[in-house]
């Protein structure tokens, strides 16, 4: 039988399930040499288990709770209150009472104790339940302690704890409670020590919050704390708060709040010597646990006592480098408009495809920008490239450069540094675009035919060879030349029309309805699919209700069903390899789940008249042509006007003939990825059949090299897949930074707010115009229920979102730059757009009326 009570010193590393996260960590703390922990014991989860087993009322109420969702706040409040009452009245088993009495007499029954909850799902690396259960201070006597043990058990069912469990997928029967009973310390000062800066995430900065008396005053928000920051044994910052109140223990038990003498309120809670001593203890604890810690401490008689330590779960992991050098990493997701976590196989393929120096962290990709920042030319090129595309990233990197965090290499080393200078020797010909597209299509058709007959280890060799072909196409100088020429033409028009005519963002109108844009064509072609379906009411009604892909086969039985089926699957034949987050090969493609596109087709049927796609495209083309004529006419009226008009005409032609190709290389890449994926899933099916893996999707949690080895050997340790799935769940909850250093510091950057309205929400202007409308905050494609005239607000968009752009009249995203997908398509469709808006989907509420200024780059909330 498991122990009912365990002393801190008796607890072993395998007893997490008995002690709960908090109890286990306190026991671990007590074993670190040189760390003082008030003595005590844990009333284990086995005691809680015995108290609730065979309690029919508890079982019945928990069954009712299991059936509820997080939004059922009324019933949750009602049922959880009843469960708390049951636990408060529960009889503590006599064996538990005897065990508590025995351990209490060992530590001294006359002393005061803190009684604290410790849940089995608390203070774990992947889930912080901090503050979910209760703490009681200065409790004296066996009966009082037993009463407060019951209170701790009941705190497992506060409304807040119940909702938190539901939201995080923990069953109410999965979580058990241990109770820590620990000798009270009556401190002069107490607080919290973070071994990494909780604001910037810098692992070199240790941050201490301190106040007078017991720590509950700080935790409850009753008082402001002093804040001291220490870096490598030196105090680098001190902020002294006015500490007007403090909580102290009373002699007869319990606590009281007292006023601090006015002349003491602004004095440091800790002396400088104490700050440095505490910092040193914090680093020792961090080294023991092997990760940054959030530590509760108190100071009595000039001795620091540690009463809790838990991992800081909010820190973003640092990309790994095999050296101690200062390094700077920039997010690939912010450039590729896909900041979600990727699975290991998806990361693998991207790493095989790219030529940039990449690292992974938190399921995301980062480019190591250190080599660029170590040379003057590299710095200038990087900042100039990022300036127009992502001002926040540029601002963050500028801060790093100004701090001299990355030292410049000596001149002779800079000369040898492999910084790429893209030299465009000849201006691309519009015929290059058609030739590049044709070459890509031919290559993909050849790949599809060749890969069909290849399997087993040979398949991996084949894919590695074909990735070289993909790389040749992606990094073909002619392809890069077309894209660079289009971008340069866009920027040139942007700047020169402003300089010569005082007209901002003229290039945006000129970018509408350009030829050869595979992504904007996709959005228009889905409108054509709606045109095929619209005349058949029976089909429209059926599609509004269909929720399983297999049911689409029943379409052909309806009038117009064959036409609808052919139109849907004809569209998927061309675009079915697309999906949200498509740079991750493991994501479910439209071809794999065709019902994904049905809501978008329904939206087009509802919002548009027949032939709207052709009208939309033609309207954009005419607006661009009219803008071109207007600009050229105004230019000709200027001094040197003929020359200026001639030069501008040449740039407009480049922009219109070449910029559509910008979306094509990615389309080619995603096409190839889908071919690879289908072949690998055939291998996965063989592995399932052979009993090597349980589900075909398990291969997504292996790197390419690992999967290659599994296919070769038919051996795999099950635990690897389980661990990777757990990691991925954790990574999904993280928000990736734009810029992170090797010290873990996250730099967000800031926009220039000059000349903007005071309440404006600032971003980057990428498609001009001002529009007002209803904000629709949409985080996943399947949530999209848009009316024509809505303004789409989301975290990021990639090509799969394009069909939604035809229904909206403005766009706001949290991620993006002037040349990223959302901006390019917004300009082509003539939508005012602001991107790179920090936390837009939280700051703007669904349904609010907003104004988007795509010319100046800000949003105003109108109601």
């Amino acid at each position: 039988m498991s122990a009912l009570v365990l002393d801190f010193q008796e607890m072993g590393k395998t007893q997490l399930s008995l002690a709960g996260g908090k109890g286990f960590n306190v026991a671990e703390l007590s074993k670190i040499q040189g760390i003082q922990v008030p003595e005590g014991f844990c009333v284990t989860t086995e005691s809680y288990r015995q108290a609730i087993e065979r309690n029919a009322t508890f079982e019945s109420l928990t069954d009712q709770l299991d059936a509820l969702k997080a939004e059922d706040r009324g019933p949750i409040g009602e049922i959880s209150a009843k469960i708390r009452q049951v636990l408060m009245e529960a009889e503590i088993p006599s064996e538990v009472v005897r065990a508590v009495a025995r351990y209490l007499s060992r530590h001294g029954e006359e002393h005061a104790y803190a009684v604290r909850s410790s849940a089995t799902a608390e203070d774990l690396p992947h889930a912080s339940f901090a503050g979910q259960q209760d703490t009681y201070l200065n409790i004296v006597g066996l009966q009082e302690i037993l009463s407060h043990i019951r209170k701790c058990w009941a705190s497992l069912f506060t409304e807040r704890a119940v909702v938190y469990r539901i939201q995080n997928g923990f069953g109410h029967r999965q979580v058990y409670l241990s109770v820590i009973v620990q000798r009270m310390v009556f401190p002069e000062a107490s607080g919290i020590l973070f071994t990494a800066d909780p604001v910037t995430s810098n692992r070199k900065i240790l941050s201490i919050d301190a106040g007078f008396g017991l720590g509950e005053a700080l935790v409850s928000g009753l008082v402001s704390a002093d804040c001291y920051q220490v870096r490598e044994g030196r105090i680098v910052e001190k902020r002294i708060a006015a500490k007007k109140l403090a909580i102290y223990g009373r002699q007869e038990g319990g606590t009281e709040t007292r006023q601090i003498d006015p002349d003491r309120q602004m004095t440091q809670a800790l002396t400088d010597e104490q700050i440095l001593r505490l910092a040193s203890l914090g680093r020792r604890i961090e080294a023991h646990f092997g990760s940054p810690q959030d530590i509760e401490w108190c100071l009595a008689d000039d001795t620091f006592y540690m009463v809790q330590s838990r991992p800081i779960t909010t820190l973003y992991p640092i990309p790994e480098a095999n050296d101690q050098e200062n390094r700077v990493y920039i997010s690939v997701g912010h450039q590729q408009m896909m900041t979600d976590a990727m699975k290991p196989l998806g990361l693998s393929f991207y790493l095989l495809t790219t030529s940039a120096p990449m690292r992974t962290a938190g399921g995301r990709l980062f480019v190591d920008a250190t080599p660029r920042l170590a040379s003057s030319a590299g710095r200038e090129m990087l900042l100039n490239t990022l300036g127009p595309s992502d001002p926040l990233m540029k601002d963050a990197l500028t801060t790093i450069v100004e701090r001299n965090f990355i030292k410049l290499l000596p001149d002779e080393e800079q000369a040898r540094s492999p910084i790429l200078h893209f030299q465009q020797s000849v201006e691309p010909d519009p015929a290059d675009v058609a030739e590049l597209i044709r070459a890509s299509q031919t290559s993909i058709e050849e790949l599809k035919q060749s890969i069909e007959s290849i399997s087993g280890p040979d398949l991996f060799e084949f894919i590695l060879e074909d990735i070289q072909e993909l790389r040749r196409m992606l990094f073909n100088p002619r392809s890069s030349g077309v894209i660079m020429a289009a971008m340069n033409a866009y920027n040139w028009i942007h700047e020169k029309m402003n300089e010569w005519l005082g007209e901002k963002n003229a290039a945006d109108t000129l970018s509408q309805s350009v030829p050869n844009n595979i992504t904007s064509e996709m959005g228009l072609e889905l409108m054509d699919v709606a045109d095929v379906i619209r005349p058949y009411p029976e089909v429209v009604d059926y599609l509004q209700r269909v929720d399983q892909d297999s049911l689409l086969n029943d379409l052909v039985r309806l009038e117009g069903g064959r036409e609808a089926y052919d139109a849907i699957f004809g569209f998927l034949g061309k675009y079915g390899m697309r999906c949200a987050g498509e740079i991750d090969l493991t994501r479910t493609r439209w071809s794999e789940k065709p019902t994904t596109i049905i809501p978008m087709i329904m939206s087009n049927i509802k919002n548009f008249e027949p032939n709207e796609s052709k009208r939309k495209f033609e309207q954009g083309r005419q607006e661009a042509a009219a803008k071109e004529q207007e600009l050229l006419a105004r230019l000709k009226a200027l001094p040197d006007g003929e020359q200026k008009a001639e030069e501008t005409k040449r740039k407009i032609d480049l922009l219109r003939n070449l910029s559509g190709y910008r979306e094509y290389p990615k389309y080619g890449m995603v096409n190839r990825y889908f071919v690879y994926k289908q072949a690998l899933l055939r291998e996965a099916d063989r592995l399932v059949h052979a009993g090597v893996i349980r589900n075909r999707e398990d291969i997504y949690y292996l790197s390419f090299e690992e999967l290659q080895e599994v296919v070769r050997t038919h051996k795999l340790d099950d635990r690897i897949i389980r661990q990777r799935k757990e990691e991925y769940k954790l990574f999904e909850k993280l928000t990736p930074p734009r810029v992170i250093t090797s010290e873990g510091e996250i730099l967000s950057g800031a926009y220039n707010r000059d000349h903007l309205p005071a309440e404006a929400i600032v971003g980057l202007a990428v498609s001009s115009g001002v529009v007002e409308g209803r904000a629709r905050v949409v985080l996943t494609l399947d949530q999209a229920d848009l009316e024509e005239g809505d303004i789409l607000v989301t975290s990021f968009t990639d090509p799969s979102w394009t069909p939604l752009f035809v229904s909206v009249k403005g766009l706001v995203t949290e991620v993006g730059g002037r040349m990223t997908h959302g901006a390019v398509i917004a300009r082509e469709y003539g939508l005012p757009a602001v991107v790179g808006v920090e936390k837009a989907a939280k700051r703007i509420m669904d349904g609010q009326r907003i104004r988007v200024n795509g010319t100046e780059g800000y949003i105003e909330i109108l109601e």
Side-chain angles (χ1 to χ4, degrees), residues 8 25-26 29-30 32 34-40 114 116 182-193 208-209 211 213-215 270 274 277-279 281-282 285 294-309:
F8 295 160
N25 285 356
V26 171
L29 265 178
S30 71
I32 304 173
I35 300 298
Q36 300 294 322
V37 175
E39 59 188 25
R116 314 164 81 191
Q182 192 172 20
R183 274 278 292 271
M184 271 295 292
V185 172
F186 296 96
E188 298 100 55
S190 55
I192 301 165
L193 158 64
I208 298 168
D209 287 357
L214 290 162
L270 297 179
Q274 288 169 335
R277 185 155 36 107
L278 179 56
L281 294 172
I285 292 167
D294 160 355
I295 301 163
E296 292 173 33
W297 58 269
C298 51
L299 177 72
D301 301 325
D302 201 34
T303 298
F304 283 105
Y305 292 91
M306 304 301 162
V307 294
Q308 186 49 259
S309 187

Side-chain angles (χ1 to χ4, degrees), residues 379-621:
R379 275 182 189 185
E380 189 181 349
M381 190 190 308
L382 188 58
L383 294 177
N384 288 346
T385 306
L386 287 174
S389 73
D390 195 330
L392 291 177
M393 206 173 265
K394 180 187 178 182
D395 188 63
L397 289 174
T398 303
T399 302
I400 286 170
V401 166
E402 286 167 355
R403 285 186 195 165
N404 206 20
F405 181 73
I406 302 294
K407 302 277 191 290
L408 282 169
L409 292 168
D411 290 346
E412 63 275 12
E413 284 187 49
Q414 282 195 45
R416 294 197 299 273
S417 179
I419 299 301
L420 300 173
H421 294 273
F422 181 78
Q423 296 295 331
Q424 198 168 312
S425 47
V426 292
E427 203 159 81
D429 188 305
D432 289 352
V433 172
E435 199 177 315
L436 287 163
I437 289 173
R438 199 162 44 247
S440 175
Q441 287 172 340
T442 304
S443 175
I444 288 164
E445 286 312 310
E446 288 171 358
L447 164 65
K448 284 178 181 174
Q449 287 172 15
S450 306
I451 206 167
E452 276 299 316
S453 59
I454 302 171
S455 63
D458 291 349
L459 176 65
F460 291 83
E461 296 304 325
F462 176 84
I463 288 174
L464 284 173
E465 267 180 52
D466 193 76
I467 284 174
Q468 296 314 308
E469 173 67 9
L470 170 58
R471 285 168 63 106
R472 276 192 291 277
M473 304 203 88
L474 286 175
F475 307 115
N476 176 351
R478 280 176 75 194
S479 179
S480 309
V482 167
I483 293 167
M484 288 301 294
M487 286 167 66
N488 291 339
Y490 175 87
N491 290 331
W492 187 94
I493 294 166
H494 213 69
E495 289 162 20
K496 292 298 182 185
M497 295 310 99
N498 196 10
E499 181 189 329
W500 292 342
L501 299 174
E503 174 144 358
K504 280 189 168 183
N505 303 350
D508 291 354
T509 308
L510 296 167
S511 300
Q512 290 186 76
S513 299
V514 298
N516 295 314
N517 188 321
I518 190 76
T519 305
S520 61
E521 286 168 8
M522 175 176 74
L524 297 173
E525 284 179 41
L526 201 60
M527 293 172 79
D528 295 339
V529 174
D531 285 351
V532 173
I533 294 168
R534 191 181 287 105
Y536 302 108
E538 213 182 335
V539 173
V540 172
D541 182 56
Y542 183 82
L543 289 176
Q544 275 169 335
R545 291 178 287 107
V546 73
D547 60 352
Q548 289 179 40
D549 298 304
S550 58
L551 295 178
L552 286 176
N553 295 327
D554 296 341
L555 260 184
V556 292
R557 300 188 188 136
L558 308 175
E559 188 192 349
R562 169 52 65 187
E563 291 84 343
Y565 185 91
D566 290 346
I568 291 167
F569 284 91
F571 176 86
L572 291 173
K574 188 172 178 184
Y575 300 109
M577 78 299 296
R578 308 225 88 149
C579 67
E582 62 189 12
I583 64 169
D584 180 355
L585 173 136
T586 70
R587 288 289 190 102
T588 304
R589 310 285 140 175
W590 289 346
S591 284
E592 296 172 307
K593 190 172 170 44
T595 47
T596 308
I597 65 169
I598 301 299
M600 295 188 267
I601 296 170
M602 293 294 102
S603 173
N604 288 342
I605 290 171
K606 178 176 70 175
N607 292 329
F608 300 114
E609 296 298 315
N611 294 315
E612 188 69 24
S613 70
K614 292 174 184 62
R615 276 201 297 276
K616 242 183 188 328
F617 187 83
E618 186 53 29
Q619 182 189 342
R621 199 187 63 73

Side-chain angles (χ1 to χ4, degrees), residues 770-774 789 791 809 849-852 862:
V770 178
V771 67
E772 292 181 14
R774 178 180 67 160
I791 294 169
K809 63 177 180 181
R849 192 162 180 79
I850 62 172
R851 180 185 298 127
V852 175
L862 304 177

Side-chain angles (χ1 to χ4, degrees), residues 350-364:
Y350 202 94
L351 289 167
L352 287 168
T353 307
T354 184
S355 54
M358 291 272 181
R359 296 279 180 273
T360 63
R364 275 84 170 183

Side-chain angles (χ1 to χ4, degrees), residues 675-708:
V675 178
Y676 302 152
K677 179 184 185 180
Q678 288 169 305
L680 290 173
L681 284 173
R682 288 195 290 272
E683 290 302 315
D685 289 336
R686 291 186 188 102
L687 292 173
V688 171
H689 186 69
V692 180
I693 56 175
R694 293 181 184 179
N695 304 298
R696 68 199 313 236
E697 290 82 11
D698 285 353
I699 68 167
Y700 299 161
Y701 296 93
L702 299 171
S703 71
F704 181 85
E705 295 76 15
E706 288 169 339
L707 179 55
Q708 185 175 18

